[in-house]
Amino acid sequence: MKITCIGAGYVGGPTMAVIADKCPDIDVTIVDLNAQRIAQWNDDDLSNLPVFEPGLSDVVAKTRNRNLFFSTDVENAIREGDIIFIAVNTPTKTYGVGKGMAADLKYVELCARQIAEIAHGEKIIVEKSTLPVRTAQSLKTILSNNAKNLSFQVLSNPEFLAEGTAVQDLYHPDRVLIGGDQTPEGLKAIETLTSIYARWIPRERIIQTNVWSSELSKLTANSFLAQRISSINSISALCEQTGANVSEIAKAIGTDSRIGSKFLQASVGFGGSCFQKDILNLVYLCRYFNLPEVADYWEHVIKMNDYQKRRFANKIIETLFNSVSGKKITCLGWAFKKDTNDTRESAAIYVTTALLRDKAEIHVYDPKVTPEQIYADLDYMKQHHRSNDMTGIAGDMTTKELKDLVHVHNEPYEAMDKAHAIALLTEWEEFSSYDWEAIYNKMYKPAFVFDGRNLLQKDKLSKIGFEVYTIGN
Ligand SMILES: NC(=O)c1ccc[n+]([C@@H]2O[C@H](COP(=O)([O-])OP(=O)(O)OC[C@H]3O[C@@H](n4cnc5c(N)ncnc54)[C@H](O)[C@@H]3O)[C@@H](O)[C@H]2O)c1
Ligand SMILES: O=c1ccn([C@@H]2O[C@H](COP(=O)(O)OP(=O)(O)O[C@H]3O[C@H](CO)[C@@H](O)[C@H](O)[C@H]3O)[C@@H](O)[C@H]2O)c(=O)[nH]1
């Protein structure tokens, strides 16, 4: 048996590496149109892999060129694979019908058309990308109208890994979900895929459903997770007005086994490529199916998140005497969470943009994100943000002006030297072990710290002399 995966990104790369590790008798080929990304996956120097994930380079070192292969030859991989995973990106549409809401399925459709053109024999096509419910039907329609000599089954097998813990999540998932047609052929395909995961995951954790339940479970899971963060963040705002402490509340409610303690960390706002995109997608589907009340309900999870990011940026501006113009603000962290180099939808981008609007001078330090990525994020924000009202940079700022105002450092102390304020935006653990006394001595006074992750010890910092703002306290 051979496995092909189209899309060598944050999902395709780690997922296939783990399958290759656990199934040494199966050849796994990951293909991508992006030649640079494939070259990075094939780089001898494992620190150059395009995805940073704890533990990933070890798995790649073990499997690469044994039974794990990275290639740009999409056609050959489609021809060879018995099981073809589609793990391409499905971003929010930035144009036309459904702009700013619906998932852009053009990359998925392209895969289906390519498979239809090239593949023959028996194939199992697996939706690994996160897709709107009923996408499998569109794939089937494209395949059955265009393919020749192809007998296929489409399965939905959404991925639940979280970045930063992807490798651990893939080796020990809470569950694997496989949806397929409830016909003899569909059930056989489900069983084939199940038998691969069953090599390392107990069968009772492999859930089999129909395709539509599987597709919709993924959007629902992400919406529930994000909803918890928006819920605790909404309470953080109330805490700041009343003297209650959001961390104490999270602990108090989290010990109720019906609520549970995870995902109750108040923050500057959730980021990442999935939560916002998937909720917007859910909202779009609800509106499409004429369920406005349901759509409004879920849309508020995002509105609350926008509010939290805006609130944090405004807090900085207000505290710095209502203007940050010409002031040096240092952002500690740019990634959307710790232990990843991914910056998609990172709260840092929104907060920085709001500060730039108020003419701040921004200095950034992140242990894993490159300067090119940071400038690209700000440029993208300039063009594509859903609502300018949120934090979009005044469209009139040129890329050059942006670069003049944003300085990226590869050393944290230099980034904080002579700063007016520090905004901690990602919970990288190294931030808590810095010499905060030395940092204080080199900052303008009053020296402000805005901890968007409640990572630092507030009492210790206050004792040094800092003015400290934390979320919900
Ligand atoms: N990132 C996550 O943590 C995560 C977790 C679960 C699910 N997902 C979902 O998985 C999907 C992929 O996410 P990602 O973060 O890996 O995206 P990504 O952007 O990191 O990777 C997608 C890759 O697909 C490639 N690609 C696009 N069209 C192609 C084509 N026609 N042929 C070959 N390659 C093509 C792109 O060049 C890119 O390298 C999305 O639907 C996402 O919602 C992501
Ligand atoms: O209590 C919490 C937990 C998370 N976050 C933030 O929420 C965002 C998302 O975090 P997380 O869910 O850990 O990472 P993702 O990689 O985005 O993973 C989510 O999105 C993936 C893509 O669909 C899913 O596969 C995962 O199950 C789902 O957790 C990050 O900005 C976190 O900092 C908080 O603010 N508070």
Side-chain angles (χ1 to χ4, degrees), residues 380-400:
Y380 183 84
M381 178 85 169
K382 210 161 72 111
Q383 298 165 36
H384 290 301
H385 191 254
R386 285 177 295 120
S387 91
N388 274 332
D389 153 61
M390 167 52 195
T391 42
I393 295 181
D396 48 1
M397 197 182 278
T398 64
T399 303
K400 178 170 180 321

Side-chain angles (χ1 to χ4, degrees), residues 5-14 31-35 37-38 41 51 53 72 74 78 86-91 106-112 114 128-131 158-164 166 218 222 272-274 277-278 336 342 344:
C5 175
I6 310 178
Y10 283 85
V11 167
V31 288
D32 205 294
L33 296 174
N34 183 334
R37 223 169 196 189
I38 291 297
W41 280 113
V51 170
E53 276 293 336
T72 50
V74 181
I78 290 176
I86 299 178
V88 299
N89 37 328
T90 50
K106 68 180 173 199
Y107 305 107
V108 174
E109 183 179 335
L110 197 70
C111 291
Q114 240 179 329
K128 193 46 126 174
S129 298
T130 302
L131 297 168
E159 184 47 60
F160 294 100
L161 69 80
E163 289 180 29
K218 175 63 194 177
N222 273 355
S273 62
C274 296
K277 159 178 84 76
D278 293 348
F336 80 95
D342 195 348
R344 288 176 287 181

Side-chain angles (χ1 to χ4, degrees), residues 52-53 161-166 169 263 269-272 275 333-348 366-369 425-428 453:
F52 169 74
E53 276 293 336
L161 69 80
E163 289 180 29
T165 53
D169 294 343
F263 262 68
F270 61 74
F275 282 171
W334 192 264
F336 80 95
K337 64 186 280 197
K338 70 171 178 179
D339 292 339
T340 177
N341 61 343
D342 195 348
T343 64
R344 288 176 287 181
E345 295 298 336
S346 176
D366 185 290
K368 288 287 173 202
V369 181
L425 301 171
T426 311
E427 71 281 23
W428 287 104
R453 299 290 182 164

Side-chain angles (χ1 to χ4, degrees), residues 45-66:
D45 180 354
L46 288 165
S47 66
N48 288 336
L49 296 184
V51 170
F52 169 74
E53 276 293 336
L56 178 62
S57 56
D58 295 340
V59 192
V60 172
K62 198 165 146 195
T63 51
R64 195 174 58 186
N65 297 330
R66 179 190 79 180

Side-chain angles (χ1 to χ4, degrees), residues 80 150 191 219 260 268 367 415:
E80 298 269 308
L150 177 67
E191 191 43 42
L219 295 186
V268 55

